[in-house]
Amino acid sequence: MVGRPVSRLEGKLKVTGAARYAAEYDVPDLLYGYVVNSTITKGKITRIDVSAAKALNGVLEVITHENRPDVASVDLKYTDMDAPPGVVFKPLLDAEVKYNGQPLALVIAEDFETARYAATLVIIEYQEEPFETCLDHNLEKARKPEKGLATMLKPPPPPPTGNFEQAFKDSPVKVDSEFRHGTEHHNPIELFATTTVYEGEGKLTIYDKTQGTVNNQLFVANVFGLHYKDVRVLSPFVGGAFGAGLRPQYQLYLCVMASLFLKRNVRVVLERKQMYPFPHRPQSYQRLRFAADANGRLTALNHLAISEASQFEDYVETVAQWSHKLYPAPNTLFEYKLASLDLFTPLDMRAPGGVTALHAIECTMDELAYEASIDPLEFRLRNYAETDPVTGKPFTSKALRECYMRAAKQFGWEKRSPAPGSMTRGNKFVGYGMATGIWDAYQFPSRVEAMITQDGKLVLNNAVTDIGTGTLTVMTQVAADELGMPMENVTFNYGDSKKPFSMFQGGSSMTASTGVGIVVAVKALKKKLLKKAKDIDGSPFKNVSGEDVAFRDGSIFLRRSPSVSVSFQEIVAANGGRPVKTTNMGAPHVLKLRKYAKATHSAAFVEVEVDKELKMITVTRAITAVAAGTIINPKTARSQITGSMVWGISKALHEETILDEKLGKYMNQNLAEYHIPVHADINELDVIFADERDDLINELGVKGVGEIGLVAMPAAVANAVFHATGKRIRELPIHFDKLL
Ligand code: MOS
């Protein structure tokens, strides 16, 4: 089944409404919480009057900082696996207001409408304080991030090499450019929601919108001082998350608090506008100075990146060093800094750091190619890294050249005339732009329970979520192949913290992580099945070894005499009817991989049309070629890439959360004013998967496709806009007013 375009197994459940999301579980005697958010950005609550709200018929309680129950620890640093350095913010602790929209009270009522109405009756008076929310005004105060667990996955830039300043000065071809990105919010269609079932003293079953069931189990147990085993988090269906579900969100905290306080079942659903005082892609400033010699070989790379952090946590991304993972250069200087602002902590959003960096890097490369009078694709080929330029190590695999060549050919790059504005179609300028993409190839440990049940079928258990990526389908394909069984006889149970460990779904890591877990567990299961088969009276396998047998269609048979077989059902029956099962850990081969560099790569080619008078921009077609190792399911993988490409177009041309720095508040907190592309904005998209075989990276040879399709797109669009118009717009999104 691996390599086949299998349709999503849960597709029918989703489109018919049978799939249940966190706010859709039928729970008896349910109470509904509605959050009251702050209307100021910074200061203190001087008075909070809940009497009118509480007097309303149907309202049970209003929880504020004045009457909240105790939490186990107010200053815990590592409440969850994704907590950045700092003290994790928890609502309702005290009278301090640290950001606009901060949750200040939870009204709990017998129905949602009553709770929402009662929330309007809560009177809060504040003493306001001055605040800073604009990154651009605070670049001066940027400093190095605090160190912490997060910096292990997101290492700081490597130390400088050579002498950047001298080399930059001496190089004949150079570019010095600044890039600015505004805030972006994840905006998944499913609203963040939690339903808690109070199971008795200190015991909770929680339906939560999250990318990580185990992560949120850990958070709830840590923060509320509950036993780990008494907290169960379920999240089988997730209606998009894009990183917003990597960390527990405030509705979970408030819902659990209410449930423990009232000893009742509670549901808290956020409204769209309540998902803006939320984690987000940070505002960023970048300055890049790249130089090359007369032959178009890079001599010097400097990348300074500054992002926003909150006042309480140092969220970090990998931004500054990506150029040197793509292109060799003898002189490098990479810097990454943070400026703390009075906003909530940012969080990973699809290709965090990477898409921010690659936009700047690949636009700068385009500028440099023009400075050197070299075709932009040729310029990248001249600077192609055969080995990792940072460490000198070989890549486990790298089919980027194939990506460039196949995508360029299909796109028709050779038809491009280099001068800006030289290609037209009627009243439109036509622009061709290209860019390179790179992303890591992560793998996390993942434990999988595999068992053969009485009916001879395979059941697998793992805590991983499927955030819409196709994980259920892909895992079922992997397991089916590993055991030689049709997919319909394989059941993969997931999205439940009670199942064996999985990290949250993120970082394009899950196919490798849980996929390898499945391979390891099913291999162990096969050994166990053979052993059990040998134990059967008169077993034909008494003296055979593992190599002598094969597994197919629910049976073990002798390779040289396939008619000799024992079915899984017979083995389970001989096992007293008890399932034959095993639990195993799949993990990255850390020691072996130390000798290698690893990355996924992509190349994006984009055509834009720009209206000559109005400067309206349309992406008329785009092709992305991706090198990500083995593609388990070309249908779901393609869908990951096209989804990313749409987002790349969105980032380049549409999407932005507008911050009013005088109010310290996001102003377009709804999907009408937070612009994302609609179907009419998206034309022809195509995806090519390079034939990349990687026997080193992991048992499956997979590297992940969740983020690699996004990283190259914004620069490819911006470069196409330059080619069409001759204008370098280095601030995203490129709205037509900037071109006018
Ligand atoms: Mo993500 S930003 O890989 O959830």
Side-chain angles (χ1 to χ4, degrees):
M1 296 317 296
V2 166
R4 296 212 189 157
V6 179
S7 293
R8 276 160 210 271
L9 301 180
E10 82 287 17
K12 193 173 171 188
L13 288 180
K14 283 181 171 170
V15 300
T16 57
R20 292 201 177 215
Y21 293 83
E24 297 181 332
Y25 282 86
D26 255 335
V27 170
D29 303 321
L30 190 60
L31 299 177
Y32 295 80
Y34 192 90
V35 182
V36 181
N37 300 80
S38 88
T39 54
I40 68 159
T41 299
K42 194 177 183 178
K44 270 187 187 55
I45 301 170
T46 52
R47 191 171 83 93
I48 186 159
D49 181 353
V50 302
S51 53
K54 270 193 92 164
L56 201 69
N57 200 14
V59 173
L60 274 89
E61 188 56 85
V62 181
I63 307 179
T64 70
H65 67 283
E66 291 176 346
N67 69 337
R68 68 163 169 83
D70 279 347
V71 284
S73 172
V74 295
D75 55 3
L76 258 185
K77 283 184 177 241
Y78 298 111
T79 53
D80 64 276
M81 291 186 271
D82 208 29
V87 173
V88 175
F89 177 77
K90 290 167 223 74
L92 313 191
L93 282 191
D94 52 33
E96 297 285 326
V97 177
K98 296 185 154 116
Y99 62 95
N100 204 302
Q102 178 181 320
L104 299 181
L106 183 75
V107 178
I108 302 138
E110 277 162 5
D111 59 78
F112 176 78
E113 289 75 13
T114 304
R116 180 169 59 177
Y117 173 57
T120 67
L121 304 178
V122 175
I123 298 160
I124 304 176
E125 286 168 15
Y126 308 93
Q127 188 180 342
E128 288 193 61
E129 288 164 25
F131 54 81
E132 277 293 348
T133 56
C134 176
L135 179 69
D136 224 38
H137 297 167
N138 288 278
L139 295 175
E140 291 300 312
K141 71 173 199 184
R143 32 103 203 153
K144 281 195 173 166
E146 254 188 78
K147 284 207 171 71
L149 277 183
T151 44
M152 282 166 55
L153 268 184
K154 297 166 172 174
T161 55
N163 183 341
F164 170 78
E165 296 295 348
Q166 192 62 44
F168 188 73
K169 210 171 134 226
D170 295 346
S171 296
V173 186
K174 61 188 101 178
V175 171
D176 181 347
S177 300
E178 289 181 314
F179 295 84
R180 284 179 171 83
H181 293 183
T183 312
E184 289 176 331
H185 278 76
H186 303 76
N187 275 306
I189 292 300
E190 183 198 5
L191 300 169
F192 271 80
T194 306
T195 304
T196 54
V197 183
Y198 188 78
E199 309 270 15
E201 198 57 43
K203 221 174 152 194
L204 295 172
T205 299
I206 303 170
Y207 300 97
D208 188 38
K209 179 196 173 77
T210 177
Q211 289 169 252
T213 56
V214 177
N215 197 41
N216 284 10
Q217 174 194 26
L218 189 70
F219 172 84
V220 170
N222 278 341
V223 171
F224 292 94
L226 306 178
H227 290 294
Y228 194 61
K229 63 170 175 38
D230 289 341
V231 179
R232 182 181 184 188
V233 176
L234 293 118
S235 188
F237 298 104
V238 181
F242 314 111
L246 287 174
R247 298 193 65 194
Q249 297 311 342
Y250 69 82
Q251 92 290 340
L252 170 67
Y253 174 92
L254 294 173
C255 194
V256 167
M257 180 176 265
S259 200
L260 294 172
F261 193 41
L262 300 172
K263 302 190 191 307
R264 292 283 300 270
N265 303 336
V266 183
R267 170 171 302 158
V268 178
V269 185
L270 298 182
E271 289 198 62
R272 180 64 55 183
K273 66 182 180 204
Q274 293 175 318
M275 285 164 49
Y276 282 78
F278 224 56
H280 50 273
R281 197 194 292 286
Q283 307 169 57
S284 65
Y285 163 85
Q286 300 178 77
R287 183 182 177 196
L288 284 78
R289 290 182 292 161
F290 284 11
D293 64 19
N295 299 320
R297 292 231 157 58
L298 288 164
T299 51
L301 301 171
N302 168 222
H303 190 158
L304 163 68
I306 302 176
S307 291
E308 62 167 293
S310 67
Q311 301 289 4
F312 33 94
E313 289 170 311
D314 268 8
Y315 166 74
V316 296
E317 293 177 329
T318 301
V319 185
Q321 59 266 48
W322 283 110
S323 59
H324 205 210
K325 195 100 181 155
L326 276 173
Y327 309 115
N331 305 283
T332 64
L333 174 61
F334 302 118
E335 304 157 276
Y336 177 69
K337 294 178 183 174
L338 296 177
S340 296
L341 301 176
D342 297 303
L343 292 164
F344 192 65
T345 314
L347 178 58
D348 298 334
M349 181 191 284
R350 203 169 197 176
V355 69
T356 310
L358 265 296
H359 165 242
I361 292 165
E362 288 299 295
C363 285
T364 304
M365 287 294 284
D366 201 69
E367 279 191 63
L368 207 48
Y370 270 90
E371 288 295 317
S373 302
I374 299 171
D375 171 81
L377 173 57
E378 168 59 23
F379 184 57
R380 281 155 177 96
L381 291 169
R382 280 192 205 178
N383 289 286
Y384 193 87
E386 301 294 347
T387 55
D388 177 10
V390 184
T391 61
K393 293 174 184 176
F395 287 97
T396 58
S397 61
K398 179 176 175 178
L400 174 59
R401 193 177 273 110
E402 185 189 331
C403 290
Y404 285 139
M405 292 314 170
R406 283 177 62 186
K409 183 154 186 261
Q410 189 177 319
F411 182 84
W413 183 255
E414 81 286 349
K415 292 200 270 300
R416 181 182 190 268
S417 74
S422 62
M423 291 169 75
T424 56
R425 195 178 288 149
N427 188 41
K428 311 266 170 63
F429 288 115
V430 174
Y432 284 8
M434 60 83 57
T436 317
I438 183 167
W439 187 250
D440 208 320
Y442 293 114
Q443 184 190 340
F444 299 114
S446 183
R447 266 167 79 80
V448 172
E449 181 182 53
M451 68 173 94
I452 297 295
T453 50
Q454 253 177 351
D455 53 6
K457 294 178 178 174
L458 174 64
V459 175
L460 299 152
N461 292 315
N462 178 258
V464 71
T465 54
D466 181 340
I467 60 175
T469 48
T471 300
L472 164 65
T473 313
V474 164
M475 294 309 151
T476 307
Q477 287 175 266
V478 168
D481 273 13
E482 194 57 47
L483 199 55
M485 197 174 233
M487 281 181 69
E488 55 269 24
N489 290 345
V490 179
T491 304
F492 179 58
N493 299 311
Y494 62 102
D496 179 353
S497 66
K498 237 185 156 168
K499 308 289 180 209
F501 175 84
S502 166
M503 287 287 280
F504 34 70
Q505 175 158 113
S508 307
S509 67
M510 272 308 136
T511 303
S513 305
T514 297
V516 166
I518 285 173
V519 170
V520 170
V522 174
K523 280 196 196 313
L525 184 66
K526 288 197 278 194
K527 276 195 183 148
K528 201 156 180 180
L529 285 167
L530 178 59
K531 190 175 166 297
K532 295 270 180 197
K534 288 180 182 209
D535 292 345
I536 298 174
D537 278 347
S539 169
F541 299 139
K542 283 277 187 250
N543 300 311
V544 306
S545 73
E547 295 91 75
D548 299 329
V549 298
F551 293 73
R552 182 146 314 271
D553 294 334
S555 293
I556 313 179
F557 63 89
L558 265 186
R559 280 182 194 277
R560 50 188 154 77
S561 174
S563 58
V564 180
S565 72
V566 176
S567 75
F568 294 172
Q569 270 172 298
E570 289 173 77
I571 297 170
V572 176
N575 196 41
R578 291 181 309 274
V580 176
K581 61 180 168 185
T582 173
T583 304
N584 303 77
M585 176 81 91
H589 302 292
V590 179
L591 285 179
K592 187 177 82 182
L593 288 174
R594 237 184 238 176
K595 297 194 201 97
Y596 298 92
K598 58 185 173 64
T600 54
H601 293 89
S602 66
F605 289 76
V606 168
E607 180 191 275
V608 298
E609 284 181 358
V610 181
D611 182 289
K612 281 189 174 178
E613 283 79 33
L614 291 174
K615 309 293 190 243
M616 300 271 283
I617 308 162
T618 309
V619 174
T620 39
R621 58 196 182 93
I623 297 172
T624 295
V626 171
T630 300
I631 300 302
I632 306 278
N633 183 332
K635 189 172 191 177
T636 53
R638 186 181 195 280
S639 185
Q640 284 291 297
I641 303 303
T642 52
S644 288
M645 290 168 76
V646 171
W647 201 333
I649 293 168
S650 184
K651 184 169 176 60
L653 300 180
H654 302 274
E655 187 166 347
E656 159 181 49
T657 318
I658 295 161
L659 181 69
D660 183 326
E661 67 216 30
K662 293 199 181 67
L663 296 172
K665 184 183 177 180
Y666 302 121
M667 299 311 289
N668 52 338
Q669 309 191 22
N670 57 72
L671 284 178
E673 293 166 297
Y674 186 93
H675 291 172
I676 55 171
V678 297
H679 281 77
D681 294 309
I682 301 301
N683 295 291
E684 207 182 303
L685 301 181
D686 208 355
V687 181
I688 297 167
F689 288 111
D691 201 4
E692 189 180 72
R693 202 191 140 101
D694 194 326
D695 295 325
L696 293 163
I697 190 87
N698 54 47
E699 284 83 341
L700 285 165
V702 302
K703 295 178 172 177
V705 292
E707 286 154 311
I708 186 62
L710 175 55
V711 281
M713 281 297 288
V717 173
N719 293 339
V721 169
F722 168 77
H723 182 230
T725 64
K727 292 195 181 170
R728 292 278 178 200
I729 309 296
R730 300 183 187 86
E731 206 175 300
L732 296 186
I734 306 173
H735 287 157
F736 64 88
D737 57 328
K738 291 174 190 165
L739 280 177
L740 284 169

